[in-house]
Amino acid sequence: MKQLNFDYSAALDFINEEEIDARRKEGAAALAALINGTAPGNEYLGWLRLPATITPGEVDRVTSVAESLAQRVEVVVVIGIGGSYLGAKALIDALSGSFDDLARPPRVLFAGHHLGEEYHASLERYLEHRSFGICVISKSGTTTEPAIAFRLLRALLERKVGKTEAARRVVAITDEHRGALRVLAGREGYNTFAIPDNIGGRYSVLTPVGLLPAALAGLDIRAIIDGAAAMQRRSLDDGNAMAIDYAATRNALYRKGYTTEITVNYSPRLHYLVEWWKQLYGESEGKEHRGIFPAGADFSTDLHSLGQYIQEGRRDLFETVISVENTGHPVVVPADEANLDNLNFLAGKRLDEVNKMAEQGTRAAHVSGGVPNLRLLLPALTGYHLGELIYFHELACGVSAGILGVNAFDQPGVEAYKKNMFALLGKPS
Ligand code: PA5
């Protein structure tokens, strides 16, 4: 079977192999520290060997809880923020057809990932006349945004169907022992899943945090786990150095002044995968006034907005393209007798061929404009290859943070806004 691959040849006009090699050595040491459990933040390394140890029993439980909730309702609202949201959203969007949710219940919606009032008002109006359930995800069980969303939607659900039926329609994913959500779930008798102590939020996509919403959306979660497990074995047991290569290359570019990495997709289905990537690297690396700024772009859409900046703006950017080889949904450009748009030269070609030529042409233009280009080559948008990509990025992020010399697994900076917000809202101390 084809596998995920990494290509940095279009960065070699900007950095040389010796510069990458110097960072590779640091990357190898960082990987060894992850494997030996001596990396900073080593109490959060549970993700490292997770995929290959997920049992069929665990998969069955996730699938059967998802199926029984799906049978009761038309809509499931997944509540969570940050690492308790982005992985699930990324998986569902990447692996479902763009309009699939309109065709097959339950429709999976998200809440608790912001404080937008209109969104909640509108969501409540939408849910008022539909049968719905809730999957609430919070490791701490106390994060403000999801806690408020859960208060609101739980109240609506209990008002609509009564406390007993509401309890059957709520699944809580949280810490095994601690936190307000664990206490509430115990008191109300919700179905629950535990987030292991040794796995932090942004590393939790391959736990029920990502897998239960994915199963609710009808995805084959076994395939995702299999792909991640294959990448785990390749990286940890078979000595494949792709994660080190990527981490080393991006750090070599960073040392040369390329301080922003734009991860680019050419499919709307990958928008949230890029959002997940931004959170993984941003929260893991942006510390001690260091770190590559992780940005995202959707091409060709953003070629009509950010494209100008990327081509001719400040030269401190590099791009990492997620390049999908086989998109597998043929749509052919039709011929048109009048040919007023002069596009008959494209007639008979697949839309994907046009997209791929946009990708190739953009790559050449950006490289010649001074933007180093890296590529992650995904054979197809399948659960297996998404699983490979997710584990690859988790590992590469840990390695890259090691090269940078920061603890990948904490996020002390996130507290600053909360402190101010609570003070402004008059939270009792
Ligand atoms: O990666 C992280 O740890 C964070 O982004 C958390 O996932 C996020 O803050 C949500 O936290 P919690 O799951 O405790 O509600």
Side-chain angles (χ1 to χ4, degrees):
M1 188 193 291
K2 283 193 167 180
Q3 297 173 317
L4 175 72
N5 264 309
F6 172 58
D7 169 24
Y8 61 92
S9 55
L12 293 174
D13 287 351
F14 306 90
I15 40 168
N16 59 41
E17 283 288 357
E18 287 92 81
E19 289 166 316
I20 301 174
D21 261 342
R23 304 286 80 80
R24 270 196 191 103
K25 288 196 183 75
E26 295 165 358
L31 178 61
L34 292 172
I35 291 172
N36 303 335
T38 54
N42 57 3
E43 65 274 37
Y44 293 111
L45 293 177
W47 55 273
L48 190 67
R49 298 195 181 277
L50 173 73
T53 57
I54 297 172
T55 64
E58 287 167 324
V59 176
D60 287 349
R61 173 145 193 266
V62 169
T63 314
S64 79
V65 169
E67 276 169 6
S68 77
L69 180 57
Q71 275 158 15
R72 299 186 98 83
V73 297
E74 296 165 83
V75 180
V76 179
V77 185
V78 176
I79 296 177
I81 195 166
S84 291
Y85 154 63
L86 284 161
K89 178 74 175 149
L91 283 176
I92 293 172
D93 279 22
L95 296 173
S96 313
S98 299
F99 300 97
D100 278 4
D101 66 329
L102 302 178
R104 172 192 38 72
R107 186 160 193 206
V108 178
L109 301 178
F110 289 85
H113 52 298
H114 56 74
L115 294 163
E117 189 172 50
E118 185 280 334
Y119 183 97
H120 268 282
S122 181
L123 179 62
E124 289 193 23
R125 276 200 304 278
Y126 176 81
L127 294 172
E128 186 69 53
H129 305 292
R130 287 173 174 84
S131 65
F132 77 96
I134 299 172
C135 171
V136 55
I137 309 174
S138 177
K139 186 170 185 198
S140 62
T142 54
T143 307
T144 313
E145 292 89 340
I148 292 176
F150 188 45
R151 264 194 189 211
L152 289 165
L153 296 183
R154 183 164 60 101
L156 176 64
L157 187 60
E158 288 177 356
R159 179 165 62 69
K160 278 182 59 148
V161 299
K163 256 178 116 49
T164 310
E165 175 59 15
R168 291 195 194 107
R169 294 188 188 187
V170 175
V171 181
I173 305 177
T174 188
D175 185 275
E176 191 165 5
H177 307 289
R178 293 175 294 267
L181 184 55
R182 174 56 64 185
V183 174
L184 182 67
R187 204 182 69 191
E188 302 292 320
Y190 300 152
N191 248 320
T192 62
F193 289 88
I195 307 172
D197 277 353
N198 60 0
I199 299 182
R202 59 191 170 276
Y203 274 83
S204 67
V205 53
L206 299 170
T207 73
V209 169
L211 298 177
L212 185 74
L216 282 165
L219 302 181
D220 175 3
I221 59 170
R222 189 70 257 177
I224 300 166
I225 296 164
D226 285 350
M231 184 55 79
Q232 176 193 321
R233 291 193 195 94
R234 252 174 104 185
S235 311
L236 303 187
D237 306 334
D238 305 342
N240 181 290
M242 208 163 75
I244 295 180
D245 281 348
Y246 171 64
T249 310
R250 65 197 295 279
N251 276 283
L253 287 164
Y254 176 63
R255 298 258 178 128
K256 282 224 140 152
Y258 296 97
T259 52
T260 295
E261 177 176 13
I262 310 178
T263 284
V264 169
N265 68 74
Y266 279 83
S267 163
R269 285 168 63 169
L270 292 176
H271 174 83
Y272 274 95
L273 190 85
V274 175
E275 294 300 303
W276 170 81
W277 169 87
K278 276 162 61 179
Q279 193 226 356
L280 180 66
Y281 283 78
E283 244 178 35
S284 300
E285 292 197 314
K287 283 160 205 173
E288 301 173 31
H289 298 176
R290 276 181 258 170
I292 298 167
F293 182 77
D298 303 320
F299 285 175
S300 63
T301 311
D302 290 338
L303 289 174
H304 298 259
S305 63
L306 297 173
Q308 170 61 37
Y309 189 103
I310 297 170
Q311 190 67 46
E312 295 183 349
R314 283 166 57 109
R315 301 299 72 188
D316 53 7
L317 313 169
F318 65 100
E319 273 180 347
T320 299
V321 177
I322 304 174
S323 188
V324 182
E325 195 180 320
N326 181 2
T327 53
H329 301 276
V331 172
V332 173
V333 180
D336 183 271
E337 213 177 307
N339 195 28
L340 290 175
D341 52 12
N342 283 322
L343 289 181
N344 270 356
F345 74 101
L346 296 177
K349 289 192 195 302
R350 275 186 58 186
L351 199 50
D352 191 52
E353 189 182 339
V354 182
N355 203 17
K356 288 210 162 52
M357 293 311 110
E359 181 178 331
Q360 214 172 295
T362 304
R363 183 175 188 227
H366 288 180
V367 169
S368 66
V371 180
N373 185 286
L374 314 179
R375 281 201 306 162
L376 286 166
L377 306 154
L378 208 60
L381 267 189
T382 61
Y384 183 90
H385 295 306
L386 250 285
E388 284 188 298
L389 185 63
I390 283 169
Y391 185 83
F392 164 80
H393 268 315
E394 289 182 343
L395 187 63
C397 182
V399 171
S400 185
I403 296 175
L404 204 60
V406 296
N407 176 352
F409 308 108
D410 64 1
Q411 53 281 331
V414 177
E415 296 312 310
Y417 97 90
K418 294 184 191 168
K419 211 172 135 222
N420 289 346
M421 176 180 77
F422 289 138
L424 290 164
L425 288 166
K427 184 180 178 181
S429 46

